[in-house]
């Protein structure tokens, strides 16, 4: 009977000790893994020598995974630096010849009195301008896609953006016989002024390009609980419903505008910029009745 009493006392004690040891061991493993993850997150993780006697298999596999991930990040960073250098070189190498082509074509057009040569010089100027626009657009897309250039949004008045759109595009719209109206607003939104100018400008540029003489373009604000929408509404040719999901794809050109000037990356670039600001773009359109592009920017 006395032995049974001792066993009744010892068994619970053994269970408690075993439970405590297991909890301590699991905590040590979790603490080690957490430390590894924290160092990997901050970029401070370095590969060390681990063996089965010092760490559990789980810890060892976690170390292998993080070491591989760290190497991949370093490799990616090196590749990004190579891409950045290549893009910068392309930008520099193309700038001078394109500038020279434009300059020589302008001189030829001014100095010659031959009408045929004037036409040829004008065509050279036109094509050189398109080439310059295409190269610069590709560079901008590459900068954004590779993370070389970061969008840095902040809370600021949308009046800065609206003023830019009016000052930049109103004169061109008038030359095309198009009436453009831009509202004023004291509202603020979360956006990067430099890059959102690029995004909204591409949309307004398209609106002018695809609106006929006598048409109109309206730029105004719609206020929502979380977002502020900058709406660009035109009375142009419109977009068929089956194409509306594709207009933001890179290099996409609708079948009705395939012969017109353009590169097919303006709306793609606009969408990528706005997405980086935690916003989005919606399009509503109907052939023959114009298009409405709404740029949704967060209000905070």
């Amino acid at each position: 009977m006395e032995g049974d009493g001792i066993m009744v006392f010892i068994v619970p004690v053994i269970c408690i000790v075993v439970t405590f040891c297991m909890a301590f061991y699991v905590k040590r493993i979790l603490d080690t893994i957490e430390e590894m993850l924290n160092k990997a997150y901050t970029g401070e993780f370095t590969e060390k020598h681990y063996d089965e006697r010092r760490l559990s298999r789980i810890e060892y596999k976690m170390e292998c995974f993080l070491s591989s991930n760290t190497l991949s990040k370093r490799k990616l960073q090196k590749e990004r630096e190579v891409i950045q250098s290549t893009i910068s070189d392309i930008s520099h190498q193309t700038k001078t010849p394109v500038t020279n082509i434009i300059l020589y074509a302008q001189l030829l057009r001014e100095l010659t009195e031959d009408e045929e040569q004037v036409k040829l010089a004008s065509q050279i100027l036109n094509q050189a301008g398109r080439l310059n626009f295409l190269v610069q657009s590709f560079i901008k897309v590459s900068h954004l896609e590779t993370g070389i250039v970061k969008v840095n949004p902040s809370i600021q008045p949308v009046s800065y953006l609206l003023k830019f759109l009016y000052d930049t595009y109103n004169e061109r719209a008038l030359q095309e016989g198009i009436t453009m109206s831009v509202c004023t607003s004291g509202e603020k939104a979360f956006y990067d002024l430099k890059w959102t100018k690029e995004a909204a400008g591409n949309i307004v540029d398209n609106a002018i390009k695809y609106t006929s003489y006598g048409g109109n373009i309206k730029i105004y604000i719609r206020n929502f609980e979380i977002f502020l929408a900058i709406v660009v509404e035109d009375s142009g040719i419109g977009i068929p419903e089956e194409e509306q999901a594709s207009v933001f794809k890179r290099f996409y050109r609708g079948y009705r505008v395939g012969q017109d000037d353009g590169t097919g990356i303006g709306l793609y670039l606009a969408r990528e910029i706005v997405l980086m600001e935690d916003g989005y773009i919606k399009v509503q359109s109907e052939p023959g009745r114009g298009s409405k592009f709404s740029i949704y920017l967060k209000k905070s």
Side-chain angles (χ1 to χ4, degrees):
M1 295 295 292
E2 184 178 348
D4 292 340
I6 294 174
M7 290 300 297
V8 170
F9 174 76
I10 291 177
V11 170
V13 171
I14 292 174
C15 290
I16 291 172
V17 171
V18 170
T19 302
F20 177 79
C21 290
M22 290 181 63
F24 177 79
Y25 183 70
V26 171
K27 181 179 183 302
R28 186 180 70 84
I29 293 175
L30 293 177
D31 287 345
T32 303
I33 293 175
E34 183 178 13
E35 182 183 2
M36 290 178 175
L37 292 173
N38 286 336
K39 288 184 176 180
Y41 180 76
T42 59
E44 300 174 356
F45 182 82
T46 56
E47 185 177 357
K48 298 179 181 179
H49 176 70
Y50 295 105
D51 56 47
E52 293 295 323
R53 290 171 296 179
R54 297 183 61 199
L55 288 176
S56 70
R57 287 193 298 271
I58 294 177
E59 290 173 320
Y60 178 73
K61 290 179 180 179
M62 176 64 72
E63 187 274 335
C64 291
F65 169 75
L66 293 177
S67 295
S68 175
N69 185 60
T70 300
L71 289 174
S72 296
K73 287 177 66 176
R74 291 172 182 168
K75 182 179 179 181
L76 180 62
Q77 181 60 34
K78 288 182 179 179
E79 291 176 350
R80 183 173 294 174
E81 290 172 357
V82 171
I83 292 173
Q84 181 177 5
S85 176
T86 302
I87 292 173
S88 298
D89 187 54
I90 291 173
S91 177
H92 177 73
Q93 294 296 330
T94 57
K95 184 176 182 180
T96 300
V98 171
T99 301
N100 287 339
I101 290 172
I102 293 174
L103 176 61
Y104 295 147
Q106 288 175 337
L107 288 173
L108 177 61
R109 188 171 63 178
E110 293 173 4
L111 296 177
T112 186
E113 295 182 358
D114 186 288
E115 291 185 5
E116 189 63 29
Q117 290 184 0
V118 170
K119 290 181 181 179
L120 290 174
S122 297
Q123 291 180 7
I124 293 173
L125 276 172
N126 182 49
Q127 295 303 315
R130 292 183 61 188
L131 176 61
N132 186 51
F133 174 79
L134 182 62
V135 170
Q136 295 307 315
S137 296
F138 284 156
I139 290 172
K140 289 173 185 176
V141 170
S142 298
H143 281 168
L144 287 172
E145 290 184 341
T146 57
I148 294 172
V149 172
K150 299 291 185 182
V151 173
N152 298 305
S154 61
I155 298 295
Q156 55 188 313
V158 294
S159 58
Y160 301 156
L161 180 60
L162 297 173
K163 183 178 186 303
F164 163 80
L165 295 176
Y166 182 82
D167 292 345
T168 305
Y169 294 97
N170 184 59
E171 184 63 30
R172 181 184 157 199
L174 291 175
Q175 292 175 356
E176 299 292 334
I178 300 168
T179 302
M180 189 173 85
S181 62
V182 181
C183 77
T184 56
S185 174
E187 298 286 346
K188 294 184 178 181
F190 185 68
Y191 70 102
D192 181 308
L193 180 59
K194 175 185 175 181
W195 284 101
T196 311
K197 283 180 179 179
E198 184 81 28
N202 287 343
I203 292 174
V204 176
D205 181 78
N206 277 358
I208 295 173
K209 187 182 299 182
Y210 301 121
T211 298
S212 302
Y213 187 92
N216 63 81
I217 297 171
K218 301 176 184 177
I219 303 175
Y220 56 92
I221 298 295
R222 291 188 65 193
N223 217 328
F224 299 92
E225 184 176 353
I226 299 176
F227 289 93
L228 187 75
I230 299 174
V231 184
V232 180
E233 183 176 354
D234 65 61
S235 60
I237 62 175
I239 306 168
E241 184 177 356
E242 62 272 17
E243 289 188 20
Q244 291 177 21
S246 301
V247 294
F248 295 103
K249 292 180 180 179
R250 184 167 46 179
F251 306 126
Y252 181 81
R253 301 280 287 154
Y255 72 90
R256 295 189 303 163
V257 299
Q259 302 303 315
D260 297 336
D261 289 344
T263 60
I265 61 176
L267 291 179
Y268 168 79
L269 187 60
R271 185 192 64 176
E272 292 300 300
I273 291 170
V274 175
L275 283 175
M276 289 181 181
E277 299 172 328
D278 292 330
Y280 62 99
I281 302 177
K282 287 181 62 177
V283 59
Q284 297 172 272
S285 187
E286 188 177 336
R289 303 189 66 178
S291 301
K292 182 191 296 183
F293 283 84
S294 299
I295 304 172
Y296 287 83
L297 302 174
K298 292 179 68 175
K299 296 171 70 173
S300 61

